[in-house]
Amino acid sequence: MSAIYPVAEIRKIEQAALRDLPPYTLMQRAGQAAAQAALRLLPCPPHSAAILVLAGPGNNGGDALEAAAGLAKAGCEVLALLKTPPSQLPPDAAQALARAQRQGVHLMPPEQFADIDSAQWTLVIDGLFGIGLSRPLDGDWRSLVQAVNAMPCPVLALDVPSGLDADTGTVVGGAGGIAVTASNTITFIADKAGLYTGDGPDYAGSVELATLAIADQYLPAPNMWLNHPGLFSDYLRPRKRNSHKGSFGDVAVIGGAAGMAGAPILAARAAARCGAGRVFVGYAENPPAYDQAQPELMCRHAADLDFSSAVLVVGTGMGMANSALALLTRALDALSWLVLDADALNLLARQPQLQVQLAQRQHAVLMTPHPLEAARLLGLSTSEIQADRVTAARRLASRFNAVVVLKGAGSIIARADGAVVVNPTGNPALATAGSGDVLSGICGALLAQGWPQWEAALAAVWLHGRAADQLVAQGIGPIGLTAGELIPEVRLLLNQLVQER
Ligand SMILES: NC(=O)C1=CN([C@@H]2O[C@H](COP(=O)(O)OP(=O)(O)OC[C@H]3O[C@@H](n4cnc5c(N)ncnc54)[C@H](OP(=O)(O)O)[C@@H]3O)[C@@H](O)[C@H]2O)[C@H](O)CC1
Ligand SMILES: [K+]
């Protein structure tokens, strides 16, 4: 399952399921799943493991105590830190505490709370706060999290790393806030966007989902998903033997102001190697005779290109001059599929009348802003975009009637009807010049081969990130991966996906 629900929906699902289940059932399931995940993380047999379980005042703490019981039963030595008086725990959590104590879990005496880092733990379980976190962590909670974050052992967060906003992937309290830096997170019922976007991946580590066997009848139709090839596999079609280059469409990359001639070349090479039949590069000025490394590309003055017969990838290194504005206006007038990137987006942000033209276009557009470009388009600051990436991507998609890829850690793909996909592939190797040009070229190639915009965007983002992941696994990055190196890896992955289907 790849559905993602906002916390408000998870609450409704939980409440509906709890009405039909005996009390304490879901917590038992969550705790058992957490105990199993913890056992898998142990580098030693259970009877040699010393596990610290941090239990907060709510049901996240209850999950932790239930997991503690399971781990003690499996033979681990388990110490639980519980600041809340047992009488103040919610009923399910109180039951979990009683069970944990029956299984031999010890409660840490309060005078030791400040010294949790004096012992060597095999594993720490973070059950301080889950989706009930309502304000920044301060006081003793903050000190506790600081101590945990300094520990060298693995940390398993339950549901959400404490301190992280599960919807937005921001630390509650912003720059002054704090959250647990987990190596692993086991999240319950359904995935949450905040584990995969913004700062979320840095805090959540590797994420596992435990659905708690909640029946489908309790799950509303989602409008958010985690990206995976199943979402675009309908278009991973093998080529017919009876094909010719015209079968796979044309891409024209429009950009390349003086000093930026390489940007459209990167996009064009990506388009060619992801299967476009023919690829043109239309320069705002001074086109090179050809691309020596990829002579298949046809480099021309943009004024000489036919804008009506190709998928247009507009903006890479295009600059902000009047000539660039004229090219963007021409592209918006053309009856072609459009991918708008970089300076096309910056120009658009300055030109309200072009924004209206874009929103009313018959053929909708795929836009690939990074957070600063998104901020310019929405008249906000970059930090306001990053504070809620899902909402920002949705706003752009609906304002411009476009498919929008908001780039950055955990790219968000949004559609004008509010559907959102959060992308889990990719790593900091992609934070390099030209990486966005390659992405826009992949988008163009898939559109030229007849993919619908939504699936083209999902596939392009997934492939781009996955290629970087595979290269990093081979030691090619994250330091020093260059954007051009992504292109052959993306080609390999695309062919593999088609063959596997
Ligand atoms: N209910 C179930 O059967 C299941 C729940 N699951 C797990 O439960 C959590 C959500 O539990 P909930 O009790 O709603 O919330 P939390 O445990 O995350 O925390 C709520 C308590 O924390 C207090 N709080 C909130 N923020 C702070 C803060 N910054 N500092 C101190 N205290 C804070 C809050 O107090 P209030 O004053 O705000 O009311 C509550 O006391 C979910 O994440 C799951 O882990 C499982 O899914 C199983 C089924
Ligand atoms: K937690």
Side-chain angles (χ1 to χ4, degrees), residues 83 116 128-129 136-149 171-180:
K83 263 166 46 103
I116 54 166
L128 292 177
F129 302 98
L137 297 179
D138 57 12
D140 292 348
W141 298 116
R142 192 183 170 89
S143 313
L144 202 52
V145 172
Q146 270 167 341
V148 170
N149 287 353
V171 175
V172 175
I178 190 167
V180 167

Side-chain angles (χ1 to χ4, degrees), residues 326-352:
L327 288 173
L328 174 61
T329 310
R330 215 182 123 203
L332 289 173
D333 280 337
L335 292 175
S336 320
W337 297 109
L338 278 190
V339 180
L340 296 185
D341 188 30
D343 287 331
L345 302 172
N346 294 329
L347 283 166
L348 202 61
R350 286 192 189 172
Q351 303 286 336

Side-chain angles (χ1 to χ4, degrees), residues 121-303:
W121 305 104
T122 320
L123 175 77
V124 173
I125 293 190
D126 159 33
L128 292 177
F129 302 98
I131 57 175
L133 184 77
S134 55
R135 52 194 180 278
L137 297 179
D138 57 12
D140 292 348
W141 298 116
R142 192 183 170 89
S143 313
L144 202 52
V145 172
Q146 270 167 341
V148 170
N149 287 353
M151 290 181 187
C153 64
V155 176
L156 173 64
L158 305 190
D159 209 16
V160 192
S162 300
L164 188 77
D165 184 312
D167 283 332
T168 62
T170 58
V171 175
V172 175
I178 190 167
V180 167
T181 309
S183 55
N184 298 75
T185 295
I186 179 164
T187 201
F188 303 126
I189 299 180
D191 270 315
K192 288 121 191 132
L195 300 175
Y196 297 96
T197 197
D199 288 326
D202 282 324
Y203 287 93
S206 170
V207 181
E208 177 184 339
L209 169 65
T211 61
L212 309 187
I214 293 204
D216 286 351
Q217 71 191 89
Y218 299 109
L219 302 174
N223 74 346
M224 227 189 318
W225 296 265
L226 193 62
N227 203 5
H228 66 98
L231 295 178
F232 50 82
S233 60
D234 281 356
Y235 297 91
L236 292 165
R237 294 184 191 135
R239 291 185 161 188
K240 288 191 180 138
R241 283 168 184 273
N242 189 10
S243 303
H244 56 91
K245 66 180 180 236
S247 314
F248 308 115
D250 291 351
V251 170
V253 182
I254 313 294
M260 297 294 289
I265 291 283
L266 277 170
R269 287 182 187 172
R273 292 186 180 200
C274 289
R278 295 189 305 172
V279 182
F280 299 88
V281 194
Y283 280 84
E285 46 196 284
N286 302 327
Y290 67 104
D291 174 19
Q292 283 194 357
Q294 183 103 20
E296 299 87 349
L297 308 181
M298 289 166 276
C299 301
R300 309 214 172 134
H301 204 293

Side-chain angles (χ1 to χ4, degrees), residues 271-482:
R273 292 186 180 200
C274 289
R278 295 189 305 172
V279 182
F280 299 88
V281 194
Y283 280 84
E285 46 196 284
N286 302 327
Y290 67 104
D291 174 19
Q292 283 194 357
Q294 183 103 20
E296 299 87 349
L297 308 181
M298 289 166 276
C299 301
R300 309 214 172 134
H301 204 293
D304 300 333
L305 280 181
D306 177 4
F307 275 25
S308 64
S309 60
V311 171
L312 304 176
V313 177
V314 187
T316 50
M318 190 163 76
M320 303 290 285
N322 283 343
S323 54
L325 180 60
L327 288 173
L328 174 61
T329 310
R330 215 182 123 203
L332 289 173
D333 280 337
L335 292 175
S336 320
W337 297 109
L338 278 190
V339 180
L340 296 185
D341 188 30
D343 287 331
L345 302 172
N346 294 329
L347 283 166
L348 202 61
R350 286 192 189 172
Q351 303 286 336
Q353 80 284 4
L354 286 190
Q355 296 183 19
V356 175
Q357 193 183 341
L358 171 59
Q360 292 173 349
R361 229 175 154 261
Q362 208 182 347
H363 284 58
V365 173
L366 205 163
M367 300 164 79
T368 55
H370 58 51
L372 176 59
E373 288 155 357
R376 289 176 181 138
L377 284 164
L378 288 174
L380 297 171
S381 66
T382 310
S383 49
E384 284 170 313
I385 298 291
Q386 295 295 71
D388 191 346
R389 290 167 51 76
V390 169
T391 300
R394 274 200 176 117
R395 281 182 63 190
L396 283 168
S398 111
R399 180 177 297 187
F400 297 115
N401 185 30
V403 169
V404 168
V405 175
L406 176 59
K407 297 183 289 198
S411 289
I412 307 288
I413 306 104
R415 208 164 61 187
D417 65 1
V420 158
V421 167
V422 184
N423 189 58
T425 63
N427 62 68
L430 291 172
T432 184
S435 156
D437 303 324
V438 169
L439 178 71
S440 65
I442 305 169
C443 291
L446 298 179
L447 292 173
Q449 289 166 88
W451 288 52
Q453 283 173 311
W454 180 242
E455 283 80 4
L458 300 184
V461 173
W462 190 90
L463 288 163
H464 187 251
R466 182 58 166 242
D469 291 343
Q470 293 194 171
L471 289 167
V472 167
Q474 296 162 44
I476 307 170
I479 299 166
L481 178 89
T482 55

